[in-house]
Amino acid sequence: MFDYVLIHYGEIALKGLNRPFYERKLVENIKKALANQDYAGVKRIQGRLVIELSGRSDTSEIEWALRRVFGIAWFAFCYVTEADRESIQRCVDKNIVFNKGERVKVSTNRADKSIPFTSIELNRELGTHLVNAYNVKVSLKGPEKEIFVEIADGKAYIYTKKIKGVYGLPVGVSGKVLHLLSGGIDSPVAAWLLMKRGCEVDFLHFSPFQRFDEKWNGKIIELVKVLNRYSFGSRIFFVPFYPFELASIYAPTRYKLILFRRFMVRVAERLASKYGVVALGSGENLAQVSSQTLENLSVIEQASSIPILRPLLTYDKNEIVNIAKQIGTFKISVQPYKDCCSLFIAKHPATKTKLEDVEDIEAEMKIEEAVEDSVNKAEVIEVKDQL
Ligand code: ATP
Ligand code: MG
């Protein structure tokens, strides 16, 4: 039975004076990720974190949860003992099974330099003991089993398997983003990438429906529940899109999509200022479809005074699909859904839109009134569950 989980972080290790803030956030997020798990506690020791397990800890559930916490580079379930040679050898003998002829390697890492032996000495002594006791072979280049001994804070943490984390930075260190979420493949992946850089992400969805609940907007809520595995809870703002539809009835078809994009951004910006959000997020990509030209992205951007973050800008579609599959949103994204954008698809959409042209059309449409109407009709729901 394992005693502890040892956690190493990636980029946080590079932080200077801000590091305690990043570490505290990571601890907070680990506690949220393990809210339903049995364990004794989490603490920081010498540039790493340790989770003390309890007799009732479910290691496979804990592994599943930790694999989804941004900020973790890798982690290991380990046995813990006093940091002296005899205790370490006894602990290895007690807990690790060796097969005759197996190629093994011992790798010691001392964060705690007060220990009266070097890493190389321990590697050599423990390796010799294993050869004598179990008839294994030491192989530094191609071991079948690696025994890691990590010495930190006066204790030895012993493990054989490093489990890869998701890297990134802890959700919450970079501020709040209001993300435009459609029912498609791209925008949930973009949200995940923003979370990966430490953003706390709330969602805004323009809905073809006027009622906002599981029955009508189940797909959107499901996507957010999957993303909650990484962010541990978020809000969705639902806004009906019929005020835009009514306002744009006489607008030229080829401009409707870009008008809708600018409209979404305006509504988002208004909600953002009300809820302390510092940037907007979107799943837009450069040149994925004919409307996503640099000119159009620029015209969209000019409808907002706060930045629009587009983490997928340079990704290929197949890279996006791969991430969607890996994070669990793909299966939901491909379910049928009546998304608003599909209603504005023109045979020949405007690809190199000029700001003046769009502004003239918007003035005719009385865009501000439609924005005001939508903001007033916004409904927010808190989504705490994970799927
Ligand atoms: P996705 O797969 O995310 O729908 P897409 O390539 O299909 O992306 P578009 O439909 O052109 O792209 O939409 C571009 C972006 O606009 C989306 O990624 C999303 O951020 C935003 N968006 C589109 N439709 C909506 C909507 N109904 N509500 C909120 N945001 C939307
Ligand atoms: Mg879409």
Side-chain angles (χ1 to χ4, degrees):
M1 196 124 72
F2 294 109
D3 305 310
Y4 275 81
V5 190
L6 177 72
I7 298 176
H8 277 250
Y9 19 83
E11 238 180 275
I12 296 180
L14 307 175
K15 300 287 168 203
L17 290 176
N18 264 343
R19 186 164 157 167
F21 164 69
Y22 283 79
E23 289 178 324
R24 271 200 305 277
K25 258 293 179 235
L26 182 58
V27 170
E28 226 175 78
N29 292 350
I30 287 172
K31 287 181 178 167
K32 286 183 193 165
L34 301 183
N36 299 321
Q37 304 302 321
D38 219 304
Y39 66 98
V42 187
K43 65 177 178 190
R44 288 188 272 164
I45 54 156
Q46 293 201 305
R48 61 211 80 204
L49 299 177
V50 289
I51 300 174
E52 189 179 347
L53 299 172
S54 78
R56 290 183 308 276
S57 293
D58 181 333
T59 50
S60 63
E61 293 255 337
I62 291 176
E63 176 178 335
W64 193 92
L66 292 179
R67 276 176 186 273
R68 286 160 183 79
V69 178
F70 288 121
I72 296 181
W74 59 267
F75 59 99
F77 288 94
C78 44
Y79 308 102
V80 178
T81 186
E82 297 310 312
D84 60 73
R85 294 167 158 101
E86 297 72 30
S87 305
I88 292 170
Q89 187 176 312
R90 221 177 304 123
C91 181
V92 169
D93 285 339
K94 180 172 162 226
N95 294 299
I96 301 175
V97 177
F98 295 94
N99 303 314
K100 198 173 154 197
E102 198 174 25
R103 296 190 304 279
V104 304
K105 176 180 178 182
V106 179
S107 299
T108 305
N109 169 0
R110 287 184 319 152
D112 186 343
K113 305 284 185 205
S114 66
I115 301 302
F117 51 84
T118 67
S119 300
I120 294 171
E121 280 165 9
L122 188 72
N123 290 347
R124 211 173 282 148
E125 282 173 28
L126 191 55
T128 308
H129 163 71
L130 298 177
V131 169
N132 294 336
Y134 304 104
N135 219 342
V136 295
K137 289 186 216 137
V138 169
S139 164
L140 301 186
K141 290 230 169 88
E144 291 162 291
K145 187 172 281 158
E146 190 159 358
I147 296 93
F148 297 93
V149 181
E150 205 164 306
I151 299 181
D153 210 22
K155 293 258 188 290
Y157 294 82
I158 298 166
Y159 53 93
T160 56
K161 189 176 149 204
K162 290 183 178 180
I163 303 166
K164 204 163 171 264
V166 265
Y167 288 80
L169 294 171
V171 168
V173 296
S174 299
K176 275 194 199 175
V177 170
L178 183 60
H179 187 70
L180 292 162
L181 182 69
S182 74
I185 295 169
D186 302 342
S187 47
V189 172
W192 183 82
L193 288 169
L194 290 171
M195 291 169 182
K196 187 172 184 191
R197 294 312 298 167
C199 298
E200 198 181 311
V201 180
D202 281 330
F203 299 93
L204 169 58
H205 178 67
F206 289 81
S207 175
F209 307 109
Q210 288 181 48
R211 300 251 310 272
F212 310 118
D213 53 27
E214 298 266 359
K215 179 164 175 244
W216 295 98
N217 290 285
K219 180 177 182 176
I220 301 301
I221 296 171
E222 271 184 34
L223 284 172
V224 170
K225 283 184 182 171
V226 170
L227 291 166
N228 273 352
R229 294 172 184 169
Y230 300 88
S231 67
F232 324 113
S234 33
R235 285 185 294 197
I236 315 178
F237 293 86
F238 281 106
V239 173
F241 91 107
Y242 74 86
F244 174 81
E245 223 180 355
L246 292 178
S248 65
I249 281 180
Y250 299 112
T253 313
R254 55 193 296 265
Y255 282 102
K256 280 204 179 174
L257 192 56
I258 193 147
L259 289 166
F260 181 52
R261 293 276 155 72
R262 279 171 58 89
F263 175 79
M264 289 198 289
V265 162
R266 281 174 208 264
V267 173
E269 189 190 7
R270 290 275 294 274
L271 291 170
S273 65
K274 220 164 140 181
Y275 289 92
V277 167
V278 286
L280 306 180
S282 141
E284 283 164 320
N285 175 275
L286 184 58
Q288 189 187 81
V289 287
S290 57
S291 60
Q292 290 176 346
T293 59
L294 273 184
E295 288 82 356
N296 283 4
L297 293 178
S298 153
V299 168
I300 294 166
E301 201 138 301
Q302 290 176 73
S304 169
S305 64
I306 58 173
I308 303 176
L309 307 178
R310 297 171 168 121
L312 292 179
L313 195 76
T314 60
Y315 279 56
D316 284 359
K317 190 73 187 189
N318 75 311
E319 291 175 304
I320 300 172
V321 166
N322 284 343
I323 301 178
K325 286 182 177 164
Q326 175 204 322
I327 65 178
T329 52
F330 184 77
K331 271 194 277 183
I332 303 167
S333 291
V334 293
Q335 302 292 323
Y337 183 70
K338 186 176 151 197
D339 203 359
C340 322
C341 282
S342 56
L343 302 174
F344 307 129
I345 293 177
K347 247 197 183 132
H348 301 290
T351 52
K352 295 196 173 182
T353 314
K354 290 205 177 65
L355 184 61
E356 312 85 77
D357 297 345
V358 176
E359 283 177 342
D360 287 347
I361 303 169
E362 284 174 345
E364 295 271 316
M365 281 170 60
K366 302 210 170 80
I367 195 82
E368 277 309 325
E369 284 173 30
V371 169
E372 179 78 28
D373 195 16
S374 295
V375 170
N376 291 338
K377 290 189 165 71
E379 273 182 35
V380 55
I381 66 163
E382 296 269 347
V383 185
K384 295 226 168 70
D385 304 345
Q386 297 178 19
L387 195 73

